[in-house]
Amino acid sequence: MTNILVTGSSRGIGQAIADRLADRDCNVMGHATRAVDARTIAADFADPPAPQMLWEEALARLDGQIDVLVNNAGLFEQIPLNASDIEWLDRWEDTLRINLTAAAQLSRFAVRHWQERGAPGRLVHISSRAAYRGDSPAHWHYAAAKGGMVSMHKTIARAYAGEGILSYAITPGFTDTSMAGDYLESRGGEGLLADIPLGRVAEPEEIADIAVFCALDAPPSMTGAVIDANGASYVR
């Protein structure tokens, strides 16, 4: 049975990923800021030691073996350009720590774990269309974090493919979650859909299907790939 750690699994895309992986008979350990059930480990990524604590607890609960790490947890909060200097910097640092630094810490632990075991492993990173297209003037920090995640993913893929350590990234556009719903409302609601040729935002289950493919089925030659899922609102 494949042991998988999914961060940010209590709602939205992360919950859909965890559910889809469980349907594939994987042994899934979830994560949230606050634990919601026995299969979820509580860890607040705003706290620097939290990712290490999560990794160690997940390893203990999964009998010392994690085969796949899904970096999904994220923070999406706006900060106006004219906010106070300290408020703007605090929000920047919180967003990068939760969206990028925590994912980097966990990825490092995962790579070292697979190297020590001499075993293959897979990383799946849930990034964002913002990594390439950018985001609103109030979301510099979010776009920067997601761009950093894509660059980190590509570096990992190039560095460790020869050891059987594979990395995949997904860059969704707007997805029908509470996080994206708040953003859509703040940016004009349904009017924003005019920018999406598909005519609607993605469903969490659609992104989850891609993540499950990357975690379990994607061929090794796809390592390093970035998969867009944005309704053709941004094509590269």
Side-chain angles (χ1 to χ4, degrees), residues 15 25 33 64 88 94 104 129 135 139 152 159-160 180 190 193:
Q15 184 176 33
D25 295 323
T33 302
W88 192 90
D94 285 347
R129 177 187 72 171
D135 213 296
H139 292 89
M152 177 184 72
Y160 307 108
E190 294 297 318
L193 297 179

Side-chain angles (χ1 to χ4, degrees), residues 112 115 147 165 183 186 213 232:
R112 293 179 64 187
Q115 287 178 327
I165 297 171
Y183 180 82
S186 73
F213 170 72

